[in-house]
Amino acid sequence: MTIAGQREDAATADVTAELPANFLWGVATSAYQIEGAAAEDGRTPSIWDTFARVPGAVHLGEHGDVACDHYHRMPQDVELIRSLGVDSYRFSVSWPRVQPGGRGPVNAAGVGFYDRLVDELLAAGVAPWVTLYHWDLPQELEDAGGWPERDTAHRFAEYAGLVHDALGDRVRTWTTLNEPWCSAVLGYDQGLHAPGRTNFPDAMRAVHHLLLGHGLAGQALRAAASADFELGITLNMATAYPASDAARDVDAARRADGLSTRIYLDPLVHGHYPEDVVRDIAERGAVLPVRDGDLEIISTPLDVLGVNYYSSHVHAGGDAPHEDRIVESGLPVTAMGWDIVPQGFTDLLVRLSRDYPGLPMVITENGAAFEDSADADGFVDDVPRVEYIADHIRAVGSAVAAGADVRGYFAWSLMDNFEWAYGYDKRFGIVRVDYETQTRTPKRSALWYRDTIRASREER
Ligand code: FCB
């Protein structure tokens, strides 16, 4: 089967027509990707500080020591966010800044930064949307075994409580984890992300402990919170299309979906792991280390599901067991080489609303890297990014029209930043960052996004 491309003239089509009233608009970032100030005010190294020093791990050996220097430029960055007219800003809290070493008391200087950020946002009329874990595990906890160890889940819940003690009076929406698939699979199986391990059974242990950490933190936060509290988790997902009706292609798509989506959402929403996935991973020598009571903790009720979407794939099986080959789709790609598949976004959202009903969704990330070129003033006329975002917002609208409960959209990313293993080579920002001068210049996509948000409000 092939997947349909969608390309219309972004400038003329009304991309927001099918979105509900009070739709939430935002921009997103994460701590290690923008903050810099890696060794300031008591922050200790995270697994990303360590991994970035491993020769060959990150493009050109780049790291987040300075990044966008957001730690020192936060008030101006909040002003930039305000100028875009968004309702909300999704940022993450750096665990080793708030609780150096991952154990012990809160670091007042570290949490003070987020305290000021929240106040600054509220004063600008922008709602803070907190992510507690966007991949920066304190190095000491990795040295003690990392996410494959059960204790890390308990450490995470404790850290979550410290952040909530500081910000819970002003922050309504709390996302525990960003993309646990990346933490577990890219970090512990494929070795492409920190901590760079390559052990599939460890990665599956990490999956369970990440989910357990989510549940423990969620329960602790809800117990401490006022009525005005929302618990969420953010998953990266895609539609897995089979290359044909042949059994082995259908099975390859089933396995891909199982390991990326159902292994997370089934326990979170339905309170059990999918049997086929448990069987698949057992054939690969892995076990989910579930203890009595864990699934009840993991399925603590969610208020919102964060959906991160970038691309979808066509899957083909092979002769070897568990073979999953990604078939060339022939669709246009971004600078990451990722196929541009807005139809996969619609299909995903409709399918999620069918399989996990009653769970409101917010798009917590969507966006694209392209080969930007800036003019003498630093302006980037990024028409491909405008088209990508427009097509994907329209795809959300199609899902809403088909009955999906989607309540918001955050563009990834507010500004160019440290793109993990790609270093500063790939630019996802709607605002350009000149890393020499730290000048921020809104790209055409930022201006288009601002105008689209404004127009969508006027229509209602
Ligand atoms: C997501 C990450 C985010 C960013 C985008 C491009 O997987 O959550 O930090 O790197 O991809």
Side-chain angles (χ1 to χ4, degrees):
M1 123 169 226
T2 56
I3 25 188
Q6 269 184 7
R7 186 126 301 211
E8 288 171 37
D9 181 0
T12 55
D14 181 0
V15 299
T16 65
E18 303 195 274
L19 299 176
N22 301 322
F23 195 73
L24 185 82
W25 294 103
V27 285
T29 64
S30 89
Y32 190 68
Q33 293 180 277
I34 66 165
E35 285 179 1
E40 270 175 64
D41 294 336
R43 182 186 180 279
T44 52
S46 78
I47 54 175
W48 267 97
D49 296 272
T50 307
F51 184 66
R53 263 72 189 181
V54 175
V58 175
H59 176 76
L60 301 180
E62 288 167 337
H63 48 68
D65 280 10
V66 176
C68 305
D69 196 32
H70 170 70
Y71 194 74
H72 300 118
R73 293 163 197 266
M74 180 270 285
Q76 298 94 295
D77 286 340
V78 171
E79 172 53 27
L80 178 64
I81 294 165
R82 192 199 58 73
S83 76
L84 296 173
V86 293
D87 303 297
S88 185
Y89 172 53
R90 172 178 180 252
F91 62 93
S92 82
V93 175
S94 160
W95 187 345
R97 206 181 278 295
V98 165
Q99 191 187 34
R103 291 175 202 275
V106 73
N107 171 27
V111 86
F113 170 74
Y114 300 104
D115 192 55
R116 293 193 301 281
L117 170 60
V118 165
D119 281 347
E120 202 83 35
L121 288 167
L122 292 173
V126 176
W129 179 298
V130 166
T131 300
L132 286 162
Y133 185 73
H134 202 124
W135 307 351
D136 41 3
L137 185 71
Q139 181 59 42
E140 290 80 353
L141 296 187
E142 171 59 20
D143 296 342
W147 285 110
E149 276 303 314
R150 189 176 174 93
D151 185 56
T152 305
H154 291 281
R155 300 280 64 76
F156 175 68
E158 184 183 274
Y159 150 72
L162 295 179
V163 182
H164 190 267
D165 286 347
L167 310 180
D169 57 336
R170 285 155 295 154
V171 174
R172 177 167 189 234
T173 311
W174 293 77
T175 299
T176 52
L177 307 175
N178 177 70
E179 303 189 351
W181 178 88
C182 291
S183 298
V185 176
L186 296 181
Y188 289 94
D189 175 33
Q190 299 183 6
L192 298 171
H193 277 190
R197 291 206 242 160
T198 50
N199 182 308
F200 182 71
D202 276 354
M204 295 301 103
R205 293 173 60 79
V207 166
H208 182 66
H209 296 141
L210 283 153
L211 288 171
L212 182 63
H214 156 82
L216 290 167
Q219 288 187 337
L221 262 50
R222 199 181 292 284
S226 62
D228 200 22
F229 168 79
E230 284 185 338
L231 178 67
I233 185 169
T234 279
L235 305 178
N236 54 309
M237 292 174 286
T239 299
Y241 297 99
S244 77
D245 291 340
R248 65 186 192 176
D249 293 342
V250 172
D251 204 50
R254 175 193 63 75
R255 278 185 276 111
D257 180 67
L259 268 185
S260 63
T261 297
R262 290 182 292 118
I263 196 172
Y264 301 100
L265 274 176
D266 281 18
L268 286 164
V269 178
H270 301 318
H272 55 76
Y273 283 109
E275 279 171 25
D276 61 318
V277 177
V278 171
R279 225 176 18 245
D280 287 344
I281 69 167
E283 286 170 13
R284 298 172 65 187
V287 172
L288 296 160
V290 182
R291 294 193 191 164
D292 278 357
D294 284 2
L295 287 161
E296 207 181 315
I297 295 168
I298 290 171
S299 58
T300 189
L302 284 169
D303 301 301
V304 59
L305 173 63
V307 177
N308 288 1
Y309 180 85
Y310 290 94
S311 186
S312 285
H313 303 291
V314 179
H315 299 263
D319 295 331
H322 299 283
E323 191 175 323
D324 177 5
R325 212 163 26 83
I326 305 291
V327 178
E328 292 267 334
S329 69
L331 292 173
V333 296
T334 68
M336 301 294 282
W338 298 346
D339 290 349
I340 301 176
V341 197
Q343 182 63 46
F345 201 7
T346 305
D347 292 346
L348 170 71
L349 294 168
V350 171
R351 172 272 173 114
L352 292 175
S353 68
R354 185 194 66 216
D355 291 352
Y356 307 97
L359 181 55
M361 294 180 277
V362 166
I363 310 310
T364 39
E365 285 181 28
N366 174 245
F370 286 103
E371 300 296 342
D372 289 344
S373 65
D375 69 14
D377 299 324
F379 181 74
V380 179
D381 195 15
D382 57 341
V383 173
R385 187 174 287 105
V386 171
E387 286 179 349
Y388 179 99
I389 296 176
D391 286 349
H392 284 77
I393 294 174
R394 202 182 290 110
V396 175
S398 302
V400 168
D405 183 2
V406 188
R407 303 195 179 173
Y409 176 98
F410 287 78
W412 183 271
S413 178
L414 165 65
M415 57 186 162
D416 296 335
N417 57 49
F418 176 76
E419 179 47 36
W420 308 113
Y422 296 88
Y424 298 95
D425 189 43
K426 303 296 180 208
R427 292 176 177 268
F428 275 87
I430 59 173
V431 172
R432 177 166 180 91
V433 175
D434 176 334
Y435 294 112
E436 300 281 303
T437 61
Q438 293 293 350
T439 306
R440 280 76 160 128
T441 310
K443 303 177 191 176
R444 179 193 285 271
S445 54
L447 307 178
W448 175 88
Y449 192 49
R450 177 199 65 193
D451 293 347
T452 301
I453 294 170
R454 189 185 293 151
S456 85
R457 291 205 185 102
E458 280 161 8
E459 276 160 22
R460 302 197 155 93

